[in-house]
Amino acid sequence: MMSAEPQVERSPKVSDEVKKTTCYMCACRCGINVHLRDGKVRYIEGNRDHPVNQGVLCAKGSAGIMQHYSPARLRSPLRRVGPRGSGQFEAISWEEALQTATDWLGPIRQSDPKKLAFFTGRDQSQALTGWWTQQFGTPNFAAHGGFCSVNMAAGGIYTIGGAFWEFGSPDWDLTEIFVLFGVAEDHDSNPIKMGLGKLKSRGKRVVSVNPVQTGYAAISDDWYGITPGTDGLFILSLIRELMLSGNIDVDYLSRYTNAPWLVIRNPGQPNDGLFLRDADGTPQILDRKTGKAVAHDAAGVRCHLQGEVKLPDGGVAVPAFVLMAEAYLDDAYAPETVADKIGIPAPRVKQLAADLAEAAFAKQITIKQPWTDWKGERHEEMIGRPVSMHAMRGISAHSNGFQTCRALHVLQLILGSVEVPGGFRFKPPYPKPAHVHPKPAGRPDQVAPGQPMAGAPLGYVLGPEDLIIDKDGAPQRIDKAYSWDAPMSAHGLMHMVISNAVAGDPYPVDVLFMYMANMAWNSSMNTRGVMDMLTATDPETGDYKIPKIIYSDAYQSEMVAYADLILPDTTYLERHDAISLLDRPICEADGVADAIRWPVLEPDRDVRGFQSVLLDLGARLGLPGMVNDDGSAKYADYGDYIINHERKPGIGPLAGFRGEAGESDGRGAPNQGQLDAYIQNGGFWHKDIPPAAKYYKMANMDYQQFAVEMGFYDSPQPYAFQIYSETLQKFRLAAKGHGAVQPPEHMRDRVKQCFTPLPSWYPPFEGTAIDENSFPIHALTQRPMAMYHSWGSQNPWLRQIHGYNPMFISQKLADKIGVVEGDWIWVTSHHGKIRVPVAVMQGVNEHTIWTWNAIGKRKGAWQLSPDAPETTKGFLLNHLIHELLPPKGDGLRWANSDPITGQAAWFDLRVHVERAEADAPAEVAPQFDVLGAPPDMPAPPKTLRYGLEWTSTDKTSTGGQ
Ligand code: SF4
């Protein structure tokens, strides 16, 4: 019988074809299926076969359509024609643009390569950009890690050989309790959501330690609304509770960590606090049978965690565990002592310690899987401690963040929960400890005109002798990374580049070259100050203090107006990319994986993928590795480089389908069909780790052998986790006057206080530099799940989720200052004052206010209407944060950074809050001049629509935007 109901098209034709590539709407790099219809993107879905997301797609990922068709896309190379900052440009050809860049860069390479500072933002091609910099010959390179989460990354590498997110993940299928410290939505988006889903469906506990109960914290079973900057104190208190109650895994500590390694006690002497080593340099442990010191890696030896040996030349040596007990059993870490400071009552600290112990020891997991450890000992089973943790920027972005991140790893280690069933598991090519990574290059003897540098600009130092300083101790990098300002910086200090370059400290640069870094807006502290610095001129010559700025981006961000030459990038659907094991991998704990992006659409503008442009520039400059013997370009473009570049014989950007016919994994000759093979395979490559190699990777010879076959290392590199850091102690000894390389006098106390070899806690610097009564409130940002840096809030679909960002405050604070939801407040720091709208919420630490990150926009940028809510009610907290701390008594101003890594201390911010007058204009303060759009960018339509042409109601519309 015919129905009278309207006909519903149940299987509409979605697309003409589907192309599988990798998302770039955030840093997770999920696999996506891009459905194309009539040559345009119709629909994006998750790739169900992809190891990262297994088909899951988030709001950002599906809104990639609007990112790709954004009216803010740059259209052609641009040359500045008005004053810097005015946004006045003329469109030029690529030939003109590349020649201009070559003319700027060529002479400085031949005279002083350091005059180039090349810094990238959320760049996913650091294996290329770092190598390009090395070939150019300048040490002045880093990506955005220094202002993001380097404390977590470096704290992890130096302690356990890897950190969270790209380095490893919870064992979601087996863990019993998951503890999430700080804001984490900023990284590891879909994988954590999928993991949380698994935990919830298995009924396991999720605990959140975060001043704000939002994001993942909102679905936690327990929320600890900690006071910002005190996470380290909380963690050390948990460690004390576990040690006091005997809830630590002594066997694990003895086998897999340096807790038994003998540490010399010889106060005042140059060997005090160093490991006792034999003639070969091997650290020693105390043999339980003989009471003598023996090599820690000797087979069959059982160690003591207590006791001491007398040394012939004075002093004694004790196991590092003895020092741990002395440090952490101190009453200073008692829950009752720390409760007020951390904002968590003592019974709740004790409860979490008990919960962790219960999960680790009462719920022990045993997997019947034989394996062989690094000493050749065979084990019939794998023992698991099902406690897992995760942290990223929340605990990192403090001036005490490095030690806090180390403390968190020590908490995991004493529970025996790293790289075991149910615990935290590494993702290949991690674990990889600091001593296996290269050291950074850039010392005076490693930089020469016209020459590549002797090594990569970034790496891991193992002591003062590895610093990038001259014989007088002066920093050699423009950001002062690897100097006494930030000795173990690892990712550089991008947030200091512009201010140092303008100050000519340690030297001026000639060209600042940046990629995907919105430094004139949300990526800088002291935003107005940075705009002023970018336009600052020499009073005598009238020239800009930073003479030339080259910038590459796909969009008209706020930074574009401050560059002299714009090299327009493609969108992520128009380019080649390698999600490479040489870079930031996408592996899983059970498997190795990498992936590509490839042009699923051709650009309809005069734009080029930045990596192809960089290789073109490299060839024009004659950089080694980028030109053939006859001087011609070695690579046609980035795709050609991905296939043919070898970092060393057999090792290239992609590990899959290597060998001439694609027959090899990991190692193998270049394969001309490699990219096609990836495309056929869904855009990625994946290889399972053998069952006997899946856990204990740092000490598992099956895994070590697998790692050598894959090319992660050339020989097995088993190691012990470093609870006690000899590297930190070496820096401290230097501050005490030992060794050939010592810090300047005015920095010694700071090094002595902060570089403790066992993780410690000290108050965040900003809080001790201001009058706490004048600025009693902590102020933070959190990244919304629906946004990624500044890209998201130009996206018409995502803007509907977060059109502006209020300042969230607690009910208690709202009552105190007399405001209700929708009122406006003034927020004042030692550096600045902003006027912002208020929202009142319950789940926030009562001494903390917070807002979303990077929603506010400058008028005229991103092709948004000048009265868009992002510009009238959206704001940046950045205006309140300075890259320097307030002056000390001696007039000196220290960087607002972690003293060990240089990580930007965004979350140390302290403020004063008061009600704003009711009759002020309903617009945030400060406001800035409206930026103009480049001449070749047409004004966007008033209403952006997409896909109308494919709807059944209007078949005649042209669709598009
Ligand atoms: S989590 Fe990130 S990479 Fe994955 S779909 Fe969402 S935006 Fe894309």
Side-chain angles (χ1 to χ4, degrees), residues 22-32 52-53 56-62 188-191 193 788:
T22 304
C23 186
Y24 203 163
M25 292 295 288
C26 86
C28 280
R29 297 157 292 173
C30 297
I32 50 171
V52 172
N53 58 320
V56 174
L57 194 73
C58 76
K60 302 181 293 271
S62 25
D188 214 344
S189 183
N190 273 349
K193 284 178 230 152
Y788 180 57

Side-chain angles (χ1 to χ4, degrees), residues 458-477:
L458 297 176
Y460 288 84
V461 300
L462 298 179
E465 64 283 3
D466 297 332
L467 292 178
I468 306 299
I469 53 180
D470 68 10
K471 61 179 177 15
D472 301 320
Q476 295 299 288
R477 287 177 50 116

Side-chain angles (χ1 to χ4, degrees), residues 902-954:
Q903 152 106 48
W906 298 98
F907 295 161
D908 282 0
L909 179 63
R910 301 293 293 266
V911 297
H912 166 79
V913 177
E914 63 195 310
R915 192 175 200 284
E917 57 280 15
D919 57 350
E923 197 167 64
V924 294
Q927 286 286 333
F928 300 89
D929 295 344
V930 180
L931 289 172
D936 57 347
M937 287 177 67
K942 193 104 184 97
T943 304
L944 278 178
R945 289 196 181 85
Y946 187 74
L948 203 58
E949 72 210 83
W950 296 305
T951 64
S952 53
T953 52
D954 183 1

